[in-house]
Amino acid sequence: MIINRRDFLKASAGAAAMAALYGCASGSSKASGHVLVVGGGYGGATVAKYLRMWSQGNVEVTLVERDAEFISCPISNLVIGGLKTLADITVSYDNLKNKWGVRVIEDEVTGIDAVSRKVKLEKGGELSYDRLVLSPGVDFLWEQLPGLKSAEAQRRILHAWKAGPQTVALRKQLEDMKDGGVYAITIPRAPYRCPPGPYERACLVANYFKTAKPRSKVLILDANEDVQSKKALFMKAWADLYPDILEYRPNNELRDVDVAGRTAILEFDRVKADVLNVIPPQRAGQIAATTGLKLINKRWVDVDWLSMEAIGTPGVHVLGDAIFPAPTMPKSGHMANQHGKLAAAAILNLLAGEEPNPDPVLMNTCYSFVDGKNGIHVASVHQYDTATKTMQPVKGAGGVSAARNELEGKAALGWAQNIWADMLA
Amino acid sequence: MKLPPLLAAICLTGAAVSASAADPDLGRNLAATCASCHGTNGKAVPGAGMDALAGMEKEKLLQKLKDFKSGTKPATVMQQISKGYTDEQMDRIAAYFAAQN
Ligand SMILES: Cc1cc2nc3c(=O)[nH]c(=O)nc-3n(C[C@H](O)[C@H](O)[C@H](O)COP(=O)(O)OP(=O)(O)OC[C@H]3O[C@@H](n4cnc5c(N)ncnc54)[C@H](O)[C@@H]3O)c2cc1C
């Protein structure tokens, strides 16, 4: 199936409505061509919408996403903690299709030919492109945990590190657990998706146990030597809110799992849990990691920060968790959304025969909940540095919350509503 | 896709006014970094608790950012974010949001 221009235009919304959405033209409106985006998550949905918006509909955009709906990882820890439902974190692709004229195809990309500029689809057929954007997120290095290799093992010992059925299943395991049980969560060595995410999840499970199963315990088994994000704020929350419930053990790297015994096999120890939640070690999503792009540490794609283009593979841009991050840059949804806008601007320049903006800026804020109401944040601003050819954090900017507070619990929910709209509305 | 003539005319006028900027997309690109919280083009989701920036008078927006930087305007996160941008960048951002309606 090759999608031609006429089909594409038929799928787009009416011209007058589009012009009203786009507002006034600026430099990039000279761009035209077809951009194919793989993955409709934080990076991919953003780049798809912004390419349509900023080109005033002149650039055709096709988005291939294997799932029917977007389900957010941010806020999914509140579902696991029993404070939100899966419906609360699910957003449809309808606005991308109908309002922005993005052609959304529910399928999986299985191969890339960067020379003839085509990709292969799982359900059959090919799509051609002028520029390709990959935002596939992460995949797991199951080979490092032999006991979890089978699909059956992965159904019993959950990660819930991609939101969806696993999120609901982990919630169910916690509900089914007897009072007095142990929930253990294992954290891989950094870098992994969402540095504060595991600590937030531990807080929200402890928050659930505190009222519903007060004799139960939360055990964090961290491969790293220390808490990876917002350390002082998390440690204070644990000491103040969950002193008899939550225990943190650094330098405890998971080596394997005894699935039948629900036991984490560590270097020097074995820990049996009633609910064992394993966050496996990660690398760039399959389609970015196994299609010949240059990787760093065999895991993450090396990109040019002025365009998000993969180093050595012109025409292929990579965003989000799949890339080798710039100094202090986290793998976050907020950051993937920012990559999407940097890439959209650069792609429009390149399609118009112009150089990309030489001074891009990215910023990040990750909110975490420490209980049902109180939030904390970490923020940073990153400016392009010509000497090191990478994004560098601005000294003196950014930082963490002074203390946990309810205002930031509200801000975290407001952030989610606004970033989902920024991607998908 | 062509713009209707009237809209195209308004756009041309707008472009002429801001023609002093070297790269006409710079303000747009910078302002997009704020959109993750304040909404696409500063149009925040109503009722979600984040302030809209679209259509805010340029001088007013710049004053608020200055007050965040100096600490006179109390904030949870803006005091840290505002320090990451140069005055020139903030000027472009404020001009971009002021022009949204
Ligand atoms: C529990 C948890 C909490 C988090 N909390 C926060 C938070 O509060 N704030 C924050 O900023 N970040 C948070 N994150 C991190 C955030 O979820 C990720 O950083 C973000 O999703 C990365 O965006 P992405 O576009 O790289 O990948 P994703 O958002 O994962 O999108 C990838 C998409 O690509 C699709 N895909 C992959 N391969 C293919 C293919 N070959 N063909 C078709 N489709 C494909 C997938 O189905 C998926 O939809 C959290 C993560 C977790 C796990």
Side-chain angles (χ1 to χ4, degrees):
Chain A
M1 167 183 63
I2 302 271
I3 288 163
N4 67 34
R5 195 180 173 93
R6 201 180 317 120
D7 282 348
F8 183 87
L9 287 175
K10 260 194 285 181
S12 302
M18 298 289 258
L21 279 173
Y22 300 136
C24 290
S26 53
S28 306
S29 60
K30 294 190 295 266
S32 68
H34 177 216
V35 181
L36 181 66
V37 181
V38 181
Y42 275 85
T46 304
V47 74
K49 169 175 159 179
Y50 272 76
L51 280 167
R52 294 290 295 163
M53 182 172 77
W54 282 347
S55 77
Q56 291 144 352
N58 283 321
V59 167
E60 298 171 15
V61 179
T62 303
L63 172 66
V64 183
E65 164 58 53
R66 62 162 82 99
D67 293 334
E69 291 173 305
F70 167 79
I71 305 179
S72 175
C73 284
I75 312 296
S76 72
N77 283 334
L78 291 173
V79 178
I80 289 162
L83 301 165
K84 294 264 176 205
T85 65
L86 200 68
D88 295 328
I89 60 169
T90 302
V91 186
S92 125
Y93 288 113
D94 283 355
N95 278 328
L96 273 192
K97 289 185 220 171
N98 303 329
K99 181 172 164 192
W100 295 108
V102 174
R103 183 178 185 113
V104 181
I105 298 176
E106 193 182 324
D107 205 337
E108 181 165 319
V109 171
T110 53
I112 300 170
D113 181 343
V115 177
S116 63
R117 304 205 168 205
K118 286 197 176 95
V119 304
K120 267 206 175 71
L121 297 176
E122 164 77 14
K123 293 179 189 162
E126 294 182 333
L127 294 170
S128 57
Y129 63 82
D130 296 312
R131 288 197 167 261
L132 178 65
V133 184
L134 306 177
S135 193
V138 294
D139 272 318
F140 302 120
L141 295 166
W142 294 116
E143 60 271 26
Q144 295 192 9
L145 301 170
L148 288 183
K149 263 192 133 165
S150 74
E152 175 55 22
Q154 291 171 25
R155 264 195 296 279
R156 295 173 65 179
I157 306 296
L158 303 170
H159 53 78
W161 218 241
K162 295 183 182 186
Q166 287 244 340
T167 311
V168 177
L170 180 58
R171 175 65 197 161
K172 177 90 176 36
Q173 286 189 353
L174 291 167
E175 283 173 355
D176 292 347
M177 193 189 88
K178 64 175 191 296
D179 189 11
V182 173
Y183 162 81
I185 180 170
T186 72
I187 306 175
R189 277 186 193 283
Y192 56 86
R193 154 176 286 186
C194 194
Y199 312 107
E200 177 191 60
R201 179 174 294 176
C203 286
L204 290 169
V205 172
N207 179 64
Y208 165 61
F209 286 170
K210 199 171 171 175
T211 47
K213 304 184 180 186
R215 294 187 298 116
S216 310
K217 301 277 180 239
V218 171
L219 181 56
I220 306 175
L221 300 169
D222 196 337
N224 300 289
E225 54 289 342
D226 217 337
V227 177
Q228 293 298 296
S229 180
K230 300 178 246 193
K231 179 186 169 190
L233 291 160
F234 276 121
M235 303 274 266
K236 179 145 173 45
W238 298 340
D240 293 351
L241 306 172
Y242 315 115
D244 304 318
I245 298 178
L246 190 148
E247 186 191 338
Y248 177 69
R249 293 189 196 161
N251 297 311
N252 272 262
E253 185 165 17
L254 187 69
R255 289 296 163 89
D256 203 352
V257 175
D258 165 10
V259 175
R262 284 194 305 272
T263 298
I265 302 169
L266 309 160
E267 197 178 2
F268 304 111
D269 202 1
R270 294 169 72 95
V271 174
K272 188 170 165 53
D274 297 278
V275 174
L276 179 58
N277 180 192
V278 170
I279 305 172
Q282 296 152 32
R283 65 154 160 72
Q286 176 90 359
I287 194 67
T290 60
T291 43
L293 301 180
K294 180 174 174 251
L295 302 182
I296 293 184
N297 300 332
K298 297 191 187 145
R299 292 196 192 190
W300 314 107
V301 181
D302 193 11
V303 296
D304 176 345
W305 287 101
L306 295 180
S307 61
M308 307 301 294
E309 233 170 343
I311 300 285
T313 312
V316 179
H317 304 252
V318 188
L319 317 176
D321 289 355
I323 65 169
F324 184 78
T328 77
M329 185 180 281
K331 295 192 181 299
S332 74
H334 193 124
M335 192 41 87
N337 164 273
Q338 303 261 318
H339 293 164
K341 294 166 192 173
L342 195 168
I347 288 169
L348 294 177
N349 287 136
L350 291 165
L351 287 173
E354 302 160 354
E355 289 293 311
N357 171 18
D359 305 303
V361 180
L362 300 170
M363 70 92 42
N364 184 70
T365 303
C366 285
Y367 288 106
S368 301
F369 283 88
V370 295
D371 59 22
K373 285 208 168 103
N374 287 280
I376 56 180
H377 82 260
V378 56
S380 52
V381 183
H382 307 253
Q383 301 246 8
Y384 187 75
D385 173 52
T386 41
T388 53
K389 291 198 168 146
T390 185
M391 308 293 302
Q392 294 287 359
V394 178
K395 290 197 187 77
V400 298
S401 311
R404 65 175 182 271
N405 64 86
E406 293 195 9
L407 264 180
E408 291 199 273
K410 293 201 179 83
L413 296 174
W415 167 84
Q417 293 300 326
N418 277 283
I419 199 165
W420 295 341
D422 193 35
M423 301 157 58
L424 293 160
Chain B
M1 193 148 302
K2 295 272 189 304
L3 293 174
L6 178 62
L7 189 60
I10 298 168
C11 292
L12 277 177
T13 327
V17 171
S18 63
S20 56
D23 177 352
D25 296 330
L26 220 48
R28 178 200 75 180
N29 295 348
L30 287 163
T33 67
C34 315
S36 322
C37 291
H38 290 288
T40 305
N41 293 324
K43 291 170 187 156
V45 173
M50 287 286 185
D51 300 307
L53 304 178
M56 190 184 287
E57 222 177 287
K58 183 179 167 188
E59 289 313 316
K60 197 169 144 196
L61 202 150
L62 283 175
Q63 188 59 46
K64 288 190 190 224
L65 290 169
K66 234 168 125 182
D67 294 346
F68 282 134
K69 266 194 190 181
S70 69
T72 47
K73 187 167 163 70
T76 54
V77 69
M78 282 310 300
Q79 79 285 15
Q80 298 171 347
I81 292 174
S82 55
K83 292 187 185 115
Y85 295 78
T86 64
D87 290 346
E88 192 201 328
Q89 287 172 334
M90 280 304 187
D91 201 82
R92 287 183 196 277
I93 291 173
Y96 182 85
F97 283 128
Q100 305 301 308
N101 45 45

